[in-house]
Amino acid sequence: MAAIPVSPLAPQSYPDLPEIAGVRFATAEAGIKYKNRTDVLLMEFDEGTTVAGVLTRSKCSSAAVDLCRANLPGGKARGLVVNSGNSNAFTGMKGRESVQHIADIAAKALGCPASEVFIAQTGVIGELIDASKFDGVLDQAATRMNALPWIEPAKAIMTTDTFPKLAGAVLEFDDVEVRINGIAKGSGMIAPDMATMLSFVVTDMPIAADVLQALLSEHVQKSFNSITVDSDTSTSDTLLAFATGKAQVEPITSLSDPRAQFFGEALFDVLFELAILTVRDGEGATKQVSVHVEGAVSDESAFRIAKAIADSPLVKTAIAGEDANWGRVVMAVGKAGEPADRDKLSIRFGDLLVAKDGERAAGYDEKATSAYMKGEDLELTVSLGLGEGSATVYTCDLTHGYITINGDYRS
Amino acid sequence: MAAIPVSPLAPQSYPDLPEIAGVRFATAEAGIKYKNRTDVLLMEFDEGTTVAGVLTRSKCSSAAVDLCRANLPGGKARGLVVNSGNSNAFTGMKGRESVQHIADIAAKALGCPASEVFIAQTGVIGELIDASKFDGVLDQAATRMNALPWIEPAKAIMTTDTFPKLAGAVLEFDDVEVRINGIAKGSGMIAPDMATMLSFVVTDMPIAADVLQALLSEHVQKSFNSITVDSDTSTSDTLLAFATGKAQVEPITSLSDPRAQFFGEALFDVLFELAILTVRDGEGATKQVSVHVEGAVSDESAFRIAKAIADSPLVKTAIAGEDANWGRVVMAVGKAGEPADRDKLSIRFGDLLVAKDGERAAGYDEKATSAYMKGEDLELTVSLGLGEGSATVYTCDLTHGYITINGDYRS
């Protein structure tokens, strides 16, 4: 398979994220699929680190996802192991034993209970991972842990991503700096063999696991859960947040602590930035598209309509062709199965009104709209005129690149 | 836009459908979008013809669909007008007036009430059709009506279809031959400007409109409602069945007439054949795929899982690449949101067992499975092991051709 060119939507530079006390990491080569390639990330957290997570809702979740699901209620984390090359999904009882073996090795290397180790795996589905490849590798990695630079773990978890994804935020509570660093991988359901969105966020904020979980669950909705590249949900999607508690501020122990909201907003900023970076590395993407729906009967209804538009192959191919084909947006609204009244429907491309009250807008300007479509960042807004519900879904266009990446790699 | 090559899945020849007493047709050039191009079909039915129909469920249905919906309860049909070049969808009150004008012209040309005229339109969305273009054209067409050959109306309704779609069935009741002829157009949500599945079926069977409607509604489920090219539902999808009643047999006036079932089965055969032809002309299609799901908790659940697989871009691109990537089928089952137990799941490609009880099948043969993927007609079977529910959805692969047709036509 030829190398995939870097996304034209890649950022010009990467943030230089600061150290976070209480976390160190190292990368390694375990030879899971290829030799001489970094394929493992080990992260170590100091004692007292709390953890929260959001995992795929797939009915065919991977063994690693099942292990995270089992360990999350404990609320404590000491280690994280991430590998590429094999997702170890759909590998039955032997798959479960293999992730347990990896957790055991990591626990021994880090000197912690295996129940405080979290694992995320991406790569081919249906092939049992050879857990013995981790023997020695994690022990050795544990001897050379660093706290910087954060681009290293961000790069280590890439598979067919064309650029590393990092984002951070800094808050102040009582003149003390609190830091949130995040990394992510994913470019849709990444080819060649199916993959996944993985994201890991680390903060030095002292915060109880249940509060962290509540904030994470809330803020994932308008970030990672509001993006779509190709409508395909992975068996391995994993978002984990770790809080080392090293910042010298009073711990947040309850959602009613007014600082919880501020912290949550900063957490959202990090999650949102990582989510957008993921869309901008969507397979074959040449444009980023924000689909806004307003005036729906509810936010949920608005979300489903926005998702129908963002997932429509006809809308996405029109955008790839820089075609102001708003008729396809009408089509997608119509097929969403949600309350909509054709004769109240209005559509804007950017600030340009293209349709109003169920027909083409009186002042519709084909030339201006076509010019708008040549941009790299597009905003489509649908106003339903029925109620107060609104939502935004972020996606990319559907190009030959997507077909090449996902369909052309076998000879 | 370059001409689209004929689908490699096109039939080698077309059936020579027989005349059906009580129906005649002519085609014409109204210059709706292009000059010197057949863009109108007029069909005339003798008095006494009953009608039934199934129309798009889109919330943004076209003016023509709305007119059919208004006229269907009458149960009588004398005329059908089909045009390409403009779907007249999303054109507000003026769109409604324009289809009424076309119905009035047709009624005058045929000497019948306008409420017994049906209209179907495809083409660009959001542009009001100039109904005056039909003035004279329908009158003139009405003077040169023929009953043969049926390939003529099948060709007249094509837009970006790469081949005409016809199917027929002949039954005998009391030694009297009864005929059913059908035509269809559609290749997904046909490009370049959004289009539609249209199908018209004509029989000489004397059958009450309500019985015809019941049979049509029943048999559309496992035919047209079980196909997907790109998951996008048109604003104009229209299936109409006309029964001239000219066959010299006792009329079917009730579903309890045992002949209703036989007739329904023959009707299904015609609908199914037309539906499969539509998939085989799917935009960019190089392979036809039948996705069978069995062992689901209900038929509805099986259908939703089969649809999730058939709509998955990753499954469809893998098929285009002749890649036996059954992991993507697992992914699609997992994301369907329907009851599924990973550890009871089995998958077959053709007769080849690739996964069993939640892991790769013991005797999995990569070479044989890859060889199977090179075929033109593929069968994927997913067994859930939960219940008795089953369903089949028919689709095609997702190739560069789809992107070219839908995304590349504007410079």
Side-chain angles (χ1 to χ4, degrees):
Chain A
M1 185 181 176
I4 301 164
V6 172
S7 167
L9 307 177
Q12 299 297 311
S13 64
Y14 301 102
D16 201 8
L17 299 181
E19 182 173 340
I20 290 190
V23 57
R24 287 160 307 284
F25 42 76
T27 61
E29 295 174 7
I32 291 164
K33 191 168 179 187
Y34 302 103
K35 296 280 169 205
N36 303 119
R37 190 158 138 168
T38 301
D39 52 9
V40 171
L41 167 67
L42 177 66
M43 264 199 192
E44 175 179 20
F45 307 102
D46 279 2
E47 214 163 326
T49 296
T50 58
V51 61
V54 176
L55 303 163
T56 185
R57 279 175 236 160
S58 170
K59 293 286 168 60
C60 297
S61 56
S62 71
V65 166
D66 290 354
L67 177 134
C68 290
R69 195 169 277 132
N71 289 352
L72 273 171
K76 294 185 203 169
R78 294 294 305 283
L80 168 70
V81 181
V82 187
N83 73 262
S84 60
N86 189 329
S87 73
N88 202 27
F90 211 72
T91 48
M93 183 51 70
K94 291 188 286 289
R96 273 154 265 180
E97 289 165 1
S98 68
V99 288
Q100 194 54 55
H101 181 71
I102 296 166
D104 290 341
I105 302 172
K108 198 157 158 256
L110 302 175
C112 71
S115 62
E116 297 179 12
V117 172
F118 292 78
I119 299 180
Q121 305 182 303
T122 64
V124 66
I125 276 191
E127 273 181 31
L128 182 68
I129 199 164
D130 178 1
S132 72
K133 292 195 169 171
F134 291 81
D135 288 330
V137 170
L138 298 184
D139 287 326
Q140 209 279 326
T143 65
R144 47 183 173 78
M145 306 291 271
N146 292 305
L148 284 173
W150 272 81
I151 200 163
E152 197 188 308
K155 281 184 173 168
I157 64 173
M158 286 169 64
T159 51
T160 54
D161 298 59
T162 73
F163 59 83
K165 298 165 188 70
L166 309 87
V170 176
L171 299 91
E172 266 192 24
F173 290 127
D174 305 323
D175 292 329
V176 177
E177 199 175 281
V178 170
R179 297 165 178 176
I180 306 177
N181 286 0
I183 60 174
K185 64 146 287 201
S187 48
M189 284 286 302
I190 315 164
D193 265 312
M194 154 97 183
T196 294
M197 193 288 296
L198 299 183
S199 181
F200 309 104
V201 175
V202 184
T203 178
D204 52 4
M205 184 74 204
I207 182 168
D210 59 339
V211 181
L212 186 60
Q213 181 66 54
L215 294 173
L216 192 69
S217 298
E218 177 189 348
H219 293 296
V220 76
Q221 296 306 331
K222 296 198 170 188
S223 56
F224 283 113
N225 282 356
S226 290
I227 63 171
T228 178
V229 168
D230 56 9
S231 81
D232 278 342
T233 306
S234 166
T235 52
S236 305
D237 287 330
T238 299
L239 165 63
L240 295 171
F242 304 93
T244 65
K246 295 292 181 187
Q248 296 302 309
V249 296
E250 277 298 300
I252 297 178
T253 57
S254 155
L255 272 178
S256 59
D257 184 329
R259 297 174 305 157
Q261 194 193 326
F262 291 109
F263 179 80
E265 284 165 12
L267 177 66
F268 171 75
D269 288 345
V270 172
L271 296 175
F272 183 76
E273 200 171 329
L274 292 171
I276 293 297
L277 286 170
T278 303
V279 161
R280 293 178 74 85
D281 203 8
E283 291 167 342
T286 66
K287 291 175 192 293
Q288 188 209 310
V289 188
S290 303
V291 179
H292 309 288
V293 172
E294 57 192 32
V297 295
S298 67
D299 290 350
E300 294 69 30
S301 179
F303 180 81
R304 281 189 285 267
I305 292 170
K307 188 86 165 30
I309 298 167
D311 278 337
S312 161
L314 285 173
V315 171
K316 293 160 86 94
T317 48
I319 291 166
E322 302 188 335
D323 175 11
N325 199 326
W326 57 271
R328 293 185 183 177
V329 177
V330 171
M331 174 282 299
V333 172
K335 78 163 182 168
E338 290 295 316
D341 180 340
R342 181 186 58 197
D343 298 334
K344 290 182 177 172
L345 199 61
S346 297
I347 300 172
R348 276 172 287 150
F349 281 22
D351 295 328
L352 299 162
L353 187 67
V354 296
K356 191 172 188 317
D357 299 336
E359 52 186 311
R360 190 165 62 194
Y364 175 70
D365 184 341
E366 168 93 21
K367 209 168 154 187
T369 315
S370 292
Y372 178 76
M373 298 304 291
K374 297 198 184 297
E376 202 171 81
D377 291 282
L378 303 176
E379 311 267 334
L380 309 188
T381 304
V382 171
S383 303
L384 295 167
L386 298 180
E388 299 296 316
S390 67
T392 299
V393 170
Y394 307 89
T395 189
C396 55
D397 53 348
L398 174 57
T399 68
H400 283 288
Y402 184 88
I403 307 287
T404 300
I405 294 169
N406 288 296
D408 287 359
Y409 60 92
R410 287 222 185 190
S411 56
Chain B
M1 183 180 176
I4 301 164
V6 173
S7 167
L9 308 177
Q12 299 296 311
S13 63
Y14 301 102
D16 201 8
L17 299 182
E19 182 173 339
I20 290 188
V23 57
R24 286 161 307 285
F25 43 76
T27 62
E29 293 173 8
I32 292 165
K33 191 167 179 188
Y34 302 103
K35 296 281 167 201
N36 303 118
R37 192 156 137 171
T38 300
D39 53 8
V40 172
L41 166 68
L42 177 66
M43 263 197 193
E44 175 179 20
F45 307 103
D46 279 2
E47 215 163 330
T49 297
T50 57
V51 62
V54 176
L55 303 164
T56 184
R57 280 176 236 160
S58 171
K59 293 285 167 62
C60 297
S61 56
S62 71
V65 165
D66 290 355
L67 177 134
C68 290
R69 194 169 276 132
N71 289 352
L72 274 171
K76 294 185 203 171
R78 293 295 303 283
L80 169 69
V81 180
V82 187
N83 74 263
S84 60
N86 189 329
S87 73
N88 202 26
F90 211 71
T91 48
M93 182 52 68
K94 292 188 286 289
R96 274 154 263 181
E97 290 165 1
S98 68
V99 289
Q100 193 55 54
H101 181 71
I102 297 167
D104 290 341
I105 302 173
K108 198 159 157 254
L110 301 174
C112 71
S115 62
E116 297 179 11
V117 172
F118 292 78
I119 299 180
Q121 305 183 301
T122 64
V124 65
I125 277 191
E127 275 181 30
L128 182 68
I129 199 163
D130 178 1
S132 73
K133 292 195 169 171
F134 291 82
D135 289 329
V137 171
L138 297 183
D139 289 325
Q140 209 280 325
T143 65
R144 48 184 173 78
M145 306 291 271
N146 292 305
L148 284 173
W150 273 80
I151 200 164
E152 197 188 308
K155 281 184 173 169
I157 63 173
M158 286 170 65
T159 50
T160 53
D161 299 59
T162 73
F163 59 81
K165 298 166 187 69
L166 309 88
V170 176
L171 301 89
E172 267 191 24
F173 289 128
D174 306 323
D175 292 329
V176 176
E177 199 174 280
V178 171
R179 296 164 178 178
I180 306 177
N181 286 2
I183 60 174
K185 66 145 287 203
S187 48
M189 283 286 301
I190 313 161
D193 266 309
M194 155 96 180
T196 294
M197 192 288 296
L198 299 184
S199 180
F200 309 104
V201 176
V202 184
T203 177
D204 52 3
M205 184 74 203
I207 182 167
D210 59 339
V211 181
L212 187 60
Q213 182 65 55
L215 294 173
L216 193 68
S217 297
E218 176 188 348
H219 292 297
V220 76
Q221 296 307 330
K222 296 199 170 187
S223 56
F224 282 112
N225 283 356
S226 290
I227 62 172
T228 179
V229 168
D230 55 10
S231 80
D232 277 342
T233 305
S234 166
T235 52
S236 306
D237 287 331
T238 299
L239 164 63
L240 295 171
F242 303 93
T244 64
K246 295 293 180 185
Q248 296 302 311
V249 296
E250 276 299 300
I252 297 177
T253 57
S254 154
L255 270 178
S256 60
D257 183 330
R259 296 173 307 158
Q261 194 193 327
F262 291 109
F263 179 80
E265 285 165 10
L267 177 66
F268 171 75
D269 289 344
V270 172
L271 297 175
F272 184 76
E273 201 170 330
L274 292 171
I276 293 297
L277 286 170
T278 304
V279 162
R280 293 179 74 86
D281 204 7
E283 291 167 343
T286 66
K287 293 176 192 290
Q288 189 209 311
V289 189
S290 303
V291 179
H292 310 288
V293 171
E294 58 192 31
V297 295
S298 67
D299 289 349
E300 293 70 29
S301 179
F303 180 81
R304 282 190 284 267
I305 293 170
K307 188 85 167 29
I309 298 167
D311 278 337
S312 160
L314 286 173
V315 170
K316 293 160 86 93
T317 48
I319 291 167
E322 303 189 334
D323 175 12
N325 198 326
W326 58 269
R328 293 186 182 176
V329 177
V330 171
M331 175 281 300
V333 172
K335 78 162 182 169
E338 291 295 315
D341 180 340
R342 180 185 59 196
D343 298 332
K344 289 182 176 172
L345 199 61
S346 297
I347 301 172
R348 276 172 286 150
F349 280 22
D351 294 330
L352 300 161
L353 188 67
V354 296
K356 192 172 188 316
D357 299 336
E359 54 186 310
R360 191 165 61 194
Y364 175 70
D365 183 341
E366 169 91 21
K367 208 168 153 187
T369 315
S370 292
Y372 177 76
M373 298 304 290
K374 296 197 184 300
E376 201 172 83
D377 291 282
L378 302 176
E379 311 266 333
L380 310 188
T381 304
V382 171
S383 303
L384 295 166
L386 298 180
E388 299 295 317
S390 67
T392 300
V393 170
Y394 307 89
T395 190
C396 55
D397 53 349
L398 174 57
T399 68
H400 282 288
Y402 184 87
I403 306 288
T404 299
I405 294 169
N406 287 297
D408 287 359
Y409 60 93
R410 288 222 184 188
S411 57

